[in-house]
Amino acid sequence: MRLSFHVRRNERTVWTVARTLLATGLHTPSGEGEVRVRPVDGESAVAVELYSPSGQAEFVTDAGQLGEFVDATYRFVSSIQAQAIVDAEFDSRRWLDSGE
C-alpha cells in the first residue's frame, strides 16, 4: 500500500507499506526500522510512525476507519493475488536489471 503525505505546499512524499503491517498494527505494535504501526493506548486510534535520515513523523488515525480500509483491500485483492503481483513485479525488475 502507498501512503502519500503532503509535507509542504507543493511537495509530497510517498511511503510504501505492507498492508499486513497496517492490519497487525491495529491490534499490536508492529514493524521495525522505517515504518512502525501501533494502537494508541486508551483510544480507538492507531499511530503510524515513519523514520528516515531526514527526520521522523507520527500520524494518528481512527482505528475503525483504517481497519475498514484494510479489510476492503483484502476483499478487492486477496493475499494470493497480491503475492502474484509482487512476484511479477520482482521478476520484471530482475529482468530489467540484468539488461536482457
Side-chain angles (χ1 to χ4, degrees):
M1 301 179 75
R2 290 192 175 104
L3 305 177
S4 177
F5 302 96
H6 293 275
V7 292
R8 290 188 185 83
R9 178 179 242 187
N10 294 320
E11 186 179 340
R12 169 174 81 124
T13 185
V14 178
W15 290 70
T16 302
V17 178
R19 67 180 171 177
T20 54
L21 176 65
L22 293 175
T24 305
L26 288 166
H27 307 288
T28 187
S30 302
E32 45 187 64
E34 296 179 344
V35 181
R36 300 175 192 164
V37 182
R38 62 177 171 77
V40 177
D41 292 337
E43 298 180 35
S44 58
V46 174
V48 178
E49 302 168 347
L50 305 172
Y51 299 88
S52 76
S54 60
Q56 65 185 49
E58 178 180 271
F59 301 90
V60 177
T61 189
D62 181 85
Q65 290 180 343
L66 180 59
E68 289 174 16
F69 173 74
V70 171
D71 288 345
T73 68
Y74 280 104
R75 286 190 302 274
F76 186 68
V77 178
S78 73
S79 296
I80 294 169
Q81 291 170 313
Q83 188 60 52
I85 292 167
V86 170
D87 290 345
E89 186 173 318
F90 174 77
D91 287 344
S92 67
R93 284 185 182 173
R94 187 176 59 181
W95 181 78
L96 290 171
D97 289 343
S98 71
E100 294 179 17

Coordinates of all heavy atoms in Angstrom, one line a residue:
M1 N 0.8 -1.2 0.0 CA 0.0 0.0 0.0 C 0.9 1.2 0.0 O 2.0 1.2 0.6 CB -0.9 0.0 1.2 CG -1.8 -1.2 1.3 SD -2.8 -1.3 2.8 CE -4.0 -0.1 2.3
R2 N 0.4 2.3 -0.6 CA 1.2 3.5 -0.7 C 0.5 4.6 0.2 O -0.7 4.8 0.0 CB 1.3 4.0 -2.1 CG 2.2 3.1 -2.9 CD 2.6 3.7 -4.2 NE 3.6 2.9 -4.9 CZ 3.3 2.1 -5.9 NH1 2.1 2.1 -6.4 NH2 4.3 1.4 -6.4
L3 N 1.2 5.2 1.1 CA 0.7 6.3 1.9 C 1.4 7.6 1.3 O 2.6 7.7 1.2 CB 1.1 6.1 3.3 CG 0.7 4.8 4.0 CD1 1.2 4.7 5.4 CD2 -0.8 4.6 4.0
S4 N 0.5 8.5 1.0 CA 1.0 9.8 0.5 C 0.7 10.9 1.4 O -0.4 11.1 1.9 CB 0.3 10.0 -0.9 OG 0.7 11.3 -1.4
F5 N 1.8 11.7 1.7 CA 1.6 12.8 2.6 C 2.1 14.1 2.0 O 3.1 14.1 1.3 CB 2.5 12.6 3.9 CG 2.1 11.3 4.6 CD1 2.9 10.1 4.4 CD2 1.1 11.3 5.5 CE1 2.6 9.0 5.0 CE2 0.8 10.1 6.2 CZ 1.5 9.0 6.0
H6 N 1.3 15.2 2.2 CA 1.8 16.5 1.7 C 2.6 17.1 2.8 O 2.1 17.4 3.9 CB 0.6 17.4 1.4 CG -0.2 16.9 0.2 ND1 0.1 17.2 -1.1 CD2 -1.2 16.0 0.1 CE1 -0.7 16.6 -1.9 NE2 -1.5 15.8 -1.2
V7 N 3.9 17.3 2.6 CA 4.8 17.8 3.6 C 5.0 19.3 3.5 O 5.4 19.9 4.5 CB 6.1 17.0 3.6 CG1 5.9 15.6 4.0 CG2 6.8 17.1 2.2
R8 N 4.8 19.8 2.4 CA 4.9 21.2 2.2 C 3.9 21.6 1.1 O 3.2 20.7 0.5 CB 6.3 21.6 1.7 CG 7.4 21.5 2.8 CD 8.7 22.1 2.3 NE 9.7 21.8 3.4 CZ 10.4 20.7 3.5 NH1 10.2 19.7 2.6 NH2 11.3 20.6 4.4
R9 N 3.8 22.8 0.8 CA 2.7 23.3 -0.1 C 2.7 22.5 -1.4 O 1.7 22.0 -1.9 CB 2.8 24.8 -0.3 CG 1.8 25.3 -1.3 CD 2.0 26.8 -1.5 NE 0.8 27.4 -1.0 CZ 0.6 28.7 -1.1 NH1 1.5 29.5 -1.7 NH2 -0.6 29.2 -0.7
N10 N 3.9 22.4 -2.0 CA 4.0 21.7 -3.4 C 4.8 20.5 -3.3 O 5.3 20.1 -4.3 CB 4.5 22.7 -4.4 CG 3.6 23.9 -4.7 OD1 2.4 23.7 -4.7 ND2 4.1 25.1 -4.8
E11 N 5.0 19.9 -2.1 CA 5.8 18.8 -2.0 C 5.1 17.6 -1.3 O 4.3 17.8 -0.4 CB 7.1 19.1 -1.2 CG 8.1 18.0 -1.1 CD 9.3 18.4 -0.3 OE1 9.5 19.6 -0.1 OE2 10.0 17.4 0.1
R12 N 5.3 16.4 -1.9 CA 4.6 15.3 -1.3 C 5.6 14.2 -1.2 O 6.5 14.1 -2.0 CB 3.5 14.9 -2.3 CG 2.8 13.6 -2.2 CD 1.7 13.5 -3.2 NE 2.2 13.1 -4.5 CZ 1.8 12.1 -5.1 NH1 0.8 11.3 -4.7 NH2 2.3 11.7 -6.3
T13 N 5.4 13.3 -0.2 CA 6.3 12.2 0.0 C 5.4 10.9 0.0 O 4.3 11.0 0.5 CB 7.1 12.3 1.3 OG1 8.0 11.2 1.3 CG2 6.3 12.3 2.5
V14 N 5.9 9.8 -0.5 CA 5.1 8.6 -0.6 C 5.9 7.5 0.0 O 7.1 7.3 -0.3 CB 4.8 8.3 -2.1 CG1 4.0 6.9 -2.2 CG2 4.0 9.4 -2.8
W15 N 5.2 6.7 0.9 CA 5.8 5.6 1.5 C 5.0 4.4 1.1 O 3.8 4.4 1.0 CB 5.7 5.7 3.1 CG 6.6 6.8 3.6 CD1 6.5 8.1 3.5 CD2 7.7 6.6 4.4 NE1 7.5 8.8 4.2 CE2 8.3 7.9 4.8 CE3 8.4 5.5 4.9 CZ2 9.4 8.0 5.5 CZ3 9.5 5.6 5.7 CH2 10.0 6.9 6.0
T16 N 5.8 3.3 0.8 CA 5.1 2.0 0.5 C 5.2 1.2 1.8 O 6.2 0.9 2.3 CB 5.9 1.3 -0.7 OG1 5.8 2.2 -1.8 CG2 5.2 0.0 -1.0
V17 N 4.0 0.7 2.2 CA 3.8 0.0 3.4 C 3.0 -1.3 3.1 O 2.0 -1.3 2.5 CB 3.0 0.8 4.4 CG1 2.8 0.1 5.7 CG2 3.8 2.1 4.7
A18 N 3.5 -2.4 3.7 CA 2.8 -3.7 3.6 C 1.4 -3.6 4.3 O 1.4 -3.1 5.4 CB 3.6 -4.8 4.1
R19 N 0.4 -4.0 3.7 CA -0.9 -3.9 4.3 C -1.0 -4.9 5.5 O -1.7 -4.6 6.5 CB -2.1 -4.2 3.4 CG -2.2 -5.6 2.8 CD -3.3 -5.7 1.9 NE -3.3 -7.0 1.2 CZ -4.2 -7.4 0.3 NH1 -5.2 -6.6 0.1 NH2 -4.1 -8.5 -0.2
T20 N -0.2 -5.9 5.5 CA -0.2 -6.8 6.7 C 0.4 -6.0 7.9 O 0.0 -6.3 9.1 CB 0.7 -8.1 6.5 OG1 2.0 -7.7 6.0 CG2 0.0 -9.0 5.5
L21 N 1.3 -5.1 7.7 CA 1.8 -4.3 8.8 C 0.7 -3.4 9.3 O 0.6 -3.3 10.5 CB 3.0 -3.4 8.2 CG 3.6 -2.4 9.2 CD1 4.3 -3.2 10.4 CD2 4.6 -1.6 8.5
L22 N -0.1 -2.8 8.4 CA -1.2 -2.0 8.9 C -2.2 -2.8 9.7 O -2.7 -2.4 10.7 CB -1.8 -1.2 7.7 CG -1.0 -0.2 7.0 CD1 -1.7 0.3 5.8 CD2 -0.6 0.9 8.0
A23 N -2.5 -4.0 9.1 CA -3.5 -4.8 9.7 C -3.1 -5.3 11.1 O -3.9 -5.3 12.1 CB -3.8 -6.0 8.8
T24 N -1.8 -5.7 11.2 CA -1.3 -6.2 12.5 C -1.2 -5.0 13.5 O -1.5 -5.1 14.7 CB 0.0 -6.9 12.4 OG1 -0.1 -7.9 11.4 CG2 0.6 -7.4 13.7
G25 N -0.8 -3.9 13.0 CA -0.6 -2.7 13.9 C -1.9 -2.1 14.5 O -1.9 -1.4 15.4
L26 N -3.1 -2.6 13.9 CA -4.3 -2.2 14.5 C -4.5 -2.8 15.9 O -5.2 -2.2 16.8 CB -5.5 -2.7 13.6 CG -5.7 -1.9 12.3 CD1 -6.6 -2.7 11.4 CD2 -6.2 -0.6 12.6
H27 N -3.8 -3.9 16.2 CA -4.0 -4.6 17.4 C -2.8 -4.7 18.3 O -2.9 -4.9 19.5 CB -4.5 -6.1 17.1 CG -5.7 -6.0 16.2 ND1 -7.0 -5.6 16.6 CD2 -5.9 -6.3 14.9 CE1 -7.8 -5.7 15.6 NE2 -7.2 -6.1 14.5
T28 N -1.6 -4.7 17.7 CA -0.4 -4.8 18.5 C 0.7 -4.0 17.8 O 0.7 -3.9 16.6 CB 0.0 -6.4 18.6 OG1 1.1 -6.5 19.4 CG2 0.3 -6.9 17.2
P29 N 1.7 -3.5 18.5 CA 2.8 -2.8 17.9 C 3.5 -3.7 16.9 O 3.8 -4.8 17.1 CB 3.7 -2.5 19.1 CG 2.9 -2.5 20.3 CD 1.8 -3.6 20.0
S30 N 3.7 -3.1 15.7 CA 4.3 -3.9 14.5 C 5.3 -3.0 13.8 O 5.2 -1.8 13.8 CB 3.1 -4.2 13.6 OG 2.2 -5.0 14.2
G31 N 6.2 -3.7 13.2 CA 7.2 -3.0 12.3 C 8.4 -2.8 13.1 O 8.5 -2.7 14.3
E32 N 9.5 -2.6 12.3 CA 10.8 -2.2 12.8 C 11.5 -1.4 11.7 O 11.1 -1.6 10.6 CB 11.6 -3.4 13.3 CG 11.6 -4.6 12.3 CD 12.2 -5.8 12.9 OE1 11.7 -6.3 13.9 OE2 13.3 -6.2 12.3
G33 N 12.4 -0.6 12.1 CA 13.0 0.2 11.0 C 12.3 1.4 10.7 O 11.8 2.2 11.6
E34 N 12.0 1.6 9.4 CA 11.5 2.9 8.9 C 10.0 3.1 9.2 O 9.5 4.2 9.3 CB 11.7 3.0 7.4 CG 13.2 3.1 7.1 CD 13.4 3.2 5.6 OE1 12.5 2.9 4.8 OE2 14.5 3.5 5.2
V35 N 9.2 2.0 9.3 CA 7.8 2.1 9.4 C 7.3 1.3 10.6 O 7.6 0.1 10.7 CB 7.0 1.7 8.2 CG1 5.5 1.8 8.4 CG2 7.5 2.4 6.9
R36 N 6.6 1.9 11.5 CA 6.0 1.2 12.7 C 4.6 1.6 12.9 O 4.2 2.8 12.6 CB 6.8 1.5 13.9 CG 8.3 1.1 13.8 CD 9.1 1.6 15.0 NE 10.5 1.4 14.7 CZ 11.5 1.9 15.4 NH1 11.2 2.7 16.4 NH2 12.7 1.7 15.0
V37 N 3.7 0.7 13.3 CA 2.3 0.9 13.4 C 1.9 0.4 14.8 O 2.3 -0.8 15.1 CB 1.5 0.3 12.3 CG1 0.0 0.6 12.5 CG2 2.0 0.7 10.9
R38 N 1.1 1.1 15.6 CA 0.7 0.6 16.9 C -0.6 1.2 17.3 O -0.9 2.4 16.9 CB 1.8 1.0 17.9 CG 2.0 2.4 18.1 CD 3.0 2.8 19.2 NE 3.3 4.2 19.2 CZ 2.6 5.2 19.7 NH1 1.4 4.9 20.2 NH2 2.9 6.4 19.6
P39 N -1.3 0.5 18.1 CA -2.6 1.1 18.7 C -2.2 2.1 19.7 O -1.1 2.0 20.3 CB -3.3 -0.1 19.3 CG -2.3 -1.2 19.4 CD -1.2 -0.9 18.5
V40 N -3.0 3.1 19.8 CA -2.8 4.2 20.8 C -3.5 3.8 22.1 O -4.7 3.6 22.0 CB -3.2 5.6 20.3 CG1 -3.0 6.6 21.4 CG2 -2.4 5.9 19.0
D41 N -2.8 3.7 23.2 CA -3.4 3.3 24.4 C -4.6 4.1 24.8 O -4.6 5.4 24.8 CB -2.4 3.3 25.6 CG -1.3 2.3 25.4 OD1 -1.5 1.3 24.7 OD2 -0.2 2.5 26.0
G42 N -5.7 3.5 25.2 CA -6.9 4.2 25.7 C -7.7 4.9 24.7 O -8.6 5.6 25.0
E43 N -7.4 4.7 23.4 CA -8.1 5.4 22.4 C -8.4 4.4 21.3 O -7.7 3.3 21.1 CB -7.3 6.5 21.8 CG -7.0 7.6 22.8 CD -6.3 8.8 22.1 OE1 -6.5 9.1 21.0 OE2 -5.4 9.3 22.8
S44 N -9.4 4.7 20.5 CA -9.6 3.8 19.3 C -8.9 4.4 18.1 O -9.5 4.8 17.1 CB -11.1 3.8 19.0 OG -11.7 5.1 18.8
A45 N -7.6 4.6 18.3 CA -6.7 5.2 17.3 C -5.5 4.3 17.0 O -5.2 3.5 17.8 CB -6.3 6.6 17.7
V46 N -4.8 4.6 15.9 CA -3.6 3.9 15.6 C -2.6 5.0 15.2 O -2.9 5.9 14.5 CB -3.9 3.0 14.4 CG1 -2.6 2.3 13.9 CG2 -4.9 1.9 14.7
A47 N -1.4 4.8 15.6 CA -0.3 5.6 15.3 C 0.6 5.0 14.2 O 0.9 3.8 14.3 CB 0.6 6.0 16.5
V48 N 0.9 5.7 13.2 CA 1.8 5.3 12.1 C 3.1 6.2 12.2 O 3.0 7.4 12.1 CB 1.2 5.5 10.7 CG1 2.2 5.0 9.6 CG2 -0.1 4.7 10.6
E49 N 4.2 5.5 12.5 CA 5.4 6.2 12.7 C 6.4 6.0 11.5 O 6.5 4.8 11.1 CB 6.1 5.8 14.0 CG 5.2 5.9 15.2 CD 5.7 5.2 16.5 OE1 6.7 4.4 16.3 OE2 5.2 5.5 17.6
L50 N 6.9 7.0 11.0 CA 7.8 6.9 9.8 C 9.2 7.5 10.2 O 9.2 8.6 10.8 CB 7.2 7.7 8.7 CG 5.8 7.3 8.2 CD1 5.3 8.3 7.2 CD2 5.8 5.9 7.7
Y51 N 10.2 6.8 9.9 CA 11.6 7.2 10.2 C 12.4 7.3 8.9 O 12.4 6.3 8.2 CB 12.2 6.3 11.2 CG 11.5 6.2 12.5 CD1 10.4 5.3 12.7 CD2 11.8 7.0 13.6 CE1 9.7 5.2 13.9 CE2 11.1 6.9 14.8 CZ 10.1 6.0 15.0 OH 9.4 6.0 16.1
S52 N 13.2 8.4 8.8 CA 14.1 8.5 7.6 C 15.3 9.2 8.0 O 15.3 9.9 9.1 CB 13.4 9.2 6.4 OG 13.3 10.5 6.7
P53 N 16.3 9.2 7.2 CA 17.5 10.0 7.6 C 17.2 11.5 7.7 O 17.9 12.2 8.5 CB 18.5 9.8 6.4 CG 18.0 8.5 5.8 CD 16.5 8.4 6.0
S54 N 16.2 12.0 7.1 CA 15.9 13.4 7.1 C 14.9 13.8 8.2 O 14.6 15.0 8.4 CB 15.3 13.9 5.8 OG 14.1 13.2 5.5
G55 N 14.5 12.8 9.0 CA 13.6 13.1 10.1 C 12.6 12.0 10.4 O 12.7 10.9 9.8
Q56 N 11.7 12.3 11.2 CA 10.6 11.3 11.6 C 9.3 12.0 11.7 O 9.2 13.2 11.9 CB 11.0 10.6 12.9 CG 11.0 11.4 14.1 CD 11.5 10.7 15.3 OE1 12.5 10.0 15.2 NE2 10.8 10.8 16.4
A57 N 8.2 11.2 11.6 CA 6.9 11.8 11.8 C 6.0 10.7 12.4 O 6.2 9.5 12.2 CB 6.3 12.2 10.4
E58 N 5.0 11.2 13.1 CA 4.0 10.3 13.6 C 2.6 10.8 13.2 O 2.3 12.0 13.4 CB 4.1 10.2 15.1 CG 3.0 9.3 15.7 CD 3.1 9.2 17.2 OE1 3.8 8.3 17.7 OE2 2.4 10.0 17.9
F59 N 1.8 9.9 12.7 CA 0.4 10.3 12.3 C -0.5 9.4 13.1 O -0.3 8.2 13.2 CB 0.2 10.0 10.8 CG 1.2 10.8 9.9 CD1 2.4 10.3 9.6 CD2 0.8 12.1 9.5 CE1 3.3 11.1 8.8 CE2 1.7 12.9 8.7 CZ 2.9 12.3 8.4
V60 N -1.6 10.0 13.6 CA -2.6 9.2 14.3 C -3.9 9.3 13.5 O -4.3 10.3 13.1 CB -2.8 9.8 15.7 CG1 -3.9 9.0 16.5 CG2 -1.5 9.7 16.5
T61 N -4.5 8.1 13.4 CA -5.7 8.0 12.6 C -6.7 7.1 13.4 O -6.4 6.4 14.3 CB -5.5 7.4 11.2 OG1 -6.7 7.5 10.4 CG2 -5.0 6.0 11.2
D62 N -8.0 7.2 13.0 CA -9.0 6.4 13.6 C -8.8 4.9 13.3 O -8.7 4.5 12.1 CB -10.4 6.9 13.1 CG -11.5 6.1 13.7 OD1 -12.0 6.5 14.8 OD2 -12.0 5.1 13.0
A63 N -8.8 4.1 14.3 CA -8.6 2.6 14.1 C -9.7 2.0 13.3 O -9.4 1.1 12.5 CB -8.4 1.9 15.5
G64 N -10.9 2.4 13.6 CA -12.1 1.8 12.9 C -12.0 2.0 11.4 O -12.2 1.1 10.6
Q65 N -11.7 3.3 11.0 CA -11.6 3.6 9.6 C -10.5 2.9 8.9 O -10.6 2.5 7.8 CB -11.6 5.1 9.4 CG -12.8 5.9 9.8 CD -12.7 7.4 9.6 OE1 -11.6 7.9 9.5 NE2 -13.8 8.0 9.6
L66 N -9.3 2.9 9.6 CA -8.2 2.2 9.0 C -8.5 0.7 8.8 O -8.2 0.1 7.8 CB -6.9 2.4 9.8 CG -5.6 1.8 9.3 CD1 -5.3 2.3 7.9 CD2 -4.5 2.0 10.2
G67 N -9.1 0.1 9.8 CA -9.5 -1.3 9.8 C -10.4 -1.6 8.6 O -10.3 -2.6 7.9
E68 N -11.4 -0.7 8.4 CA -12.4 -0.9 7.3 C -11.6 -0.8 6.0 O -11.9 -1.5 5.1 CB -13.5 0.2 7.4 CG -14.5 -0.1 8.5 CD -15.5 1.1 8.7 OE1 -15.6 1.9 7.7 OE2 -16.1 1.1 9.7
F69 N -10.7 0.2 5.9 CA -10.0 0.3 4.7 C -9.1 -0.9 4.4 O -9.1 -1.4 3.2 CB -9.1 1.6 4.7 CG -8.2 1.8 3.6 CD1 -8.7 2.1 2.3 CD2 -6.8 1.5 3.7 CE1 -7.8 2.3 1.2 CE2 -6.0 1.6 2.6 CZ -6.5 2.0 1.4
V70 N -8.4 -1.4 5.4 CA -7.5 -2.6 5.2 C -8.4 -3.8 4.8 O -8.1 -4.5 3.9 CB -6.7 -2.8 6.4 CG1 -6.0 -4.2 6.3 CG2 -5.7 -1.7 6.6
D71 N -9.5 -3.9 5.5 CA -10.4 -5.0 5.1 C -10.9 -5.0 3.7 O -11.0 -6.0 3.0 CB -11.6 -5.1 6.1 CG -11.3 -5.5 7.5 OD1 -10.2 -6.1 7.7 OD2 -12.1 -5.3 8.4
A72 N -11.2 -3.7 3.3 CA -11.7 -3.5 1.9 C -10.6 -3.9 0.9 O -10.9 -4.5 -0.2 CB -12.1 -2.1 1.7
T73 N -9.3 -3.6 1.2 CA -8.3 -4.0 0.3 C -8.2 -5.5 0.1 O -7.9 -6.0 -0.9 CB -6.9 -3.4 0.7 OG1 -6.4 -4.0 1.9 CG2 -7.0 -1.9 0.8
Y74 N -8.4 -6.2 1.2 CA -8.4 -7.7 1.2 C -9.5 -8.3 0.3 O -9.4 -9.3 -0.3 CB -8.3 -8.3 2.6 CG -7.0 -8.3 3.2 CD1 -6.7 -7.4 4.2 CD2 -6.0 -9.2 2.8 CE1 -5.4 -7.4 4.8 CE2 -4.7 -9.2 3.4 CZ -4.4 -8.3 4.4 OH -3.2 -8.3 5.0
R75 N -10.7 -7.6 0.4 CA -11.8 -8.0 -0.4 C -11.6 -7.7 -1.9 O -12.0 -8.5 -2.8 CB -13.1 -7.3 0.0 CG -13.7 -7.9 1.4 CD -15.1 -7.3 1.7 NE -15.2 -5.9 1.7 CZ -14.9 -5.1 2.8 NH1 -14.5 -5.7 3.9 NH2 -15.0 -3.8 2.8
F76 N -10.9 -6.6 -2.2 CA -10.6 -6.2 -3.5 C -9.5 -7.1 -4.2 O -9.6 -7.5 -5.3 CB -10.3 -4.7 -3.6 CG -10.1 -4.2 -5.0 CD1 -11.2 -4.1 -5.8 CD2 -8.9 -3.8 -5.4 CE1 -11.1 -3.6 -7.1 CE2 -8.8 -3.2 -6.7 CZ -9.8 -3.2 -7.5
V77 N -8.4 -7.3 -3.4 CA -7.2 -8.0 -3.9 C -6.9 -9.0 -2.7 O -6.4 -8.6 -1.7 CB -6.0 -7.1 -4.2 CG1 -4.8 -7.9 -4.6 CG2 -6.4 -6.1 -5.2
S78 N -7.0 -10.3 -3.0 CA -6.7 -11.3 -2.0 C -5.2 -11.3 -1.7 O -4.4 -10.8 -2.5 CB -7.2 -12.6 -2.4 OG -6.4 -13.1 -3.4
S79 N -4.9 -12.0 -0.6 CA -3.4 -12.2 -0.3 C -2.7 -12.9 -1.4 O -1.6 -12.6 -1.8 CB -3.3 -12.9 1.0 OG -3.8 -12.2 2.1
I80 N -3.4 -13.9 -2.0 CA -2.8 -14.7 -3.1 C -2.6 -13.8 -4.3 O -1.5 -13.9 -4.9 CB -3.7 -15.9 -3.4 CG1 -3.7 -16.9 -2.2 CG2 -3.2 -16.6 -4.7 CD1 -4.7 -18.0 -2.3
Q81 N -3.6 -13.0 -4.7 CA -3.4 -12.1 -5.8 C -2.3 -11.1 -5.6 O -1.6 -10.8 -6.5 CB -4.8 -11.4 -6.1 CG -5.9 -12.3 -6.6 CD -7.2 -11.6 -6.6 OE1 -7.6 -10.9 -5.6 NE2 -7.9 -11.7 -7.7
A82 N -2.3 -10.6 -4.4 CA -1.3 -9.6 -4.0 C 0.1 -10.2 -4.2 O 1.0 -9.5 -4.7 CB -1.5 -9.0 -2.6
Q83 N 0.3 -11.4 -3.7 CA 1.6 -12.1 -3.8 C 2.0 -12.3 -5.3 O 3.2 -12.1 -5.6 CB 1.6 -13.4 -3.0 CG 3.0 -14.0 -3.0 CD 4.0 -13.1 -2.3 OE1 3.8 -12.6 -1.2 NE2 5.1 -12.8 -2.9
A84 N 1.0 -12.6 -6.1 CA 1.3 -12.8 -7.5 C 1.8 -11.5 -8.2 O 2.7 -11.5 -9.0 CB 0.1 -13.3 -8.2
I85 N 1.2 -10.4 -7.8 CA 1.6 -9.1 -8.3 C 3.0 -8.7 -7.8 O 3.8 -8.3 -8.6 CB 0.6 -8.0 -7.8 CG1 -0.8 -8.2 -8.5 CG2 1.1 -6.6 -8.1 CD1 -1.9 -7.4 -7.9
V86 N 3.3 -9.0 -6.6 CA 4.6 -8.7 -6.0 C 5.6 -9.6 -6.8 O 6.7 -9.1 -7.2 CB 4.7 -8.9 -4.5 CG1 6.1 -8.9 -4.0 CG2 3.8 -7.9 -3.8
D87 N 5.3 -10.9 -6.9 CA 6.3 -11.8 -7.6 C 6.5 -11.3 -9.1 O 7.6 -11.3 -9.5 CB 5.7 -13.2 -7.6 CG 5.8 -13.8 -6.2 OD1 6.4 -13.3 -5.3 OD2 5.1 -14.8 -6.0
A88 N 5.4 -10.9 -9.8 CA 5.6 -10.5 -11.1 C 6.4 -9.2 -11.2 O 7.3 -9.0 -12.1 CB 4.2 -10.2 -11.8
E89 N 6.2 -8.3 -10.3 CA 7.0 -7.0 -10.3 C 8.4 -7.3 -10.0 O 9.3 -6.8 -10.6 CB 6.4 -6.1 -9.2 CG 7.1 -4.7 -9.3 CD 6.4 -3.7 -8.3 OE1 5.2 -3.7 -8.3 OE2 7.1 -3.0 -7.7
F90 N 8.7 -8.2 -9.1 CA 10.1 -8.6 -8.7 C 10.8 -9.2 -10.0 O 11.9 -8.9 -10.3 CB 10.1 -9.6 -7.6 CG 11.5 -10.1 -7.3 CD1 12.4 -9.3 -6.6 CD2 11.9 -11.4 -7.7 CE1 13.7 -9.8 -6.4 CE2 13.1 -11.9 -7.5 CZ 14.1 -11.1 -6.8
D91 N 10.0 -10.1 -10.6 CA 10.6 -10.8 -11.8 C 10.9 -9.8 -12.9 O 11.9 -9.9 -13.6 CB 9.7 -11.9 -12.3 CG 9.6 -13.1 -11.4 OD1 10.6 -13.3 -10.6 OD2 8.7 -13.9 -11.6
S92 N 10.0 -8.8 -13.1 CA 10.2 -7.9 -14.2 C 11.4 -6.9 -13.9 O 12.2 -6.6 -14.7 CB 8.9 -7.0 -14.5 OG 8.6 -6.2 -13.4
R93 N 11.5 -6.6 -12.6 CA 12.7 -5.7 -12.2 C 14.0 -6.5 -12.4 O 15.0 -5.9 -12.8 CB 12.5 -5.2 -10.8 CG 11.5 -4.1 -10.7 CD 11.4 -3.6 -9.3 NE 10.4 -2.5 -9.2 CZ 10.1 -2.0 -8.1 NH1 10.6 -2.3 -6.9 NH2 9.1 -1.0 -8.1
R94 N 14.0 -7.7 -12.0 CA 15.2 -8.6 -12.1 C 15.6 -8.7 -13.6 O 16.7 -8.6 -13.9 CB 14.9 -9.9 -11.5 CG 16.2 -10.8 -11.4 CD 16.0 -12.0 -10.7 NE 14.9 -12.8 -11.4 CZ 14.4 -13.9 -11.0 NH1 14.9 -14.5 -9.9 NH2 13.5 -14.5 -11.7
W95 N 14.6 -8.9 -14.4 CA 14.8 -9.0 -15.9 C 15.4 -7.7 -16.4 O 16.3 -7.7 -17.2 CB 13.5 -9.4 -16.6 CG 13.7 -9.5 -18.0 CD1 14.2 -10.6 -18.7 CD2 13.3 -8.6 -19.1 NE1 14.2 -10.4 -20.1 CE2 13.7 -9.2 -20.3 CE3 12.7 -7.4 -19.0 CZ2 13.4 -8.5 -21.5 CZ3 12.5 -6.7 -20.2 CH2 12.8 -7.3 -21.4
L96 N 14.8 -6.5 -16.0 CA 15.2 -5.2 -16.5 C 16.6 -4.9 -16.0 O 17.5 -4.4 -16.7 CB 14.3 -4.1 -16.1 CG 12.9 -4.2 -16.8 CD1 12.0 -3.2 -16.1 CD2 13.1 -3.9 -18.3
D97 N 16.9 -5.3 -14.7 CA 18.2 -5.0 -14.1 C 19.3 -5.8 -14.8 O 20.5 -5.4 -14.8 CB 18.2 -5.3 -12.6 CG 17.4 -4.2 -11.9 OD1 17.1 -3.1 -12.4 OD2 17.0 -4.5 -10.7
S98 N 19.0 -7.0 -15.3 CA 20.0 -7.9 -15.9 C 20.4 -7.4 -17.3 O 21.4 -7.9 -17.9 CB 19.5 -9.3 -16.0 OG 18.5 -9.4 -17.0
G99 N 19.6 -6.4 -17.9 CA 20.0 -5.9 -19.2 C 19.5 -6.8 -20.3 O 19.9 -6.5 -21.5
E100 N 18.7 -7.8 -20.0 CA 18.3 -8.6 -21.1 C 17.1 -8.0 -21.9 O 16.4 -7.3 -21.4 CB 17.9 -10.0 -20.5 CG 19.1 -10.7 -20.0 CD 18.7 -12.1 -19.4 OE1 17.6 -12.6 -19.7 OE2 19.5 -12.6 -18.6

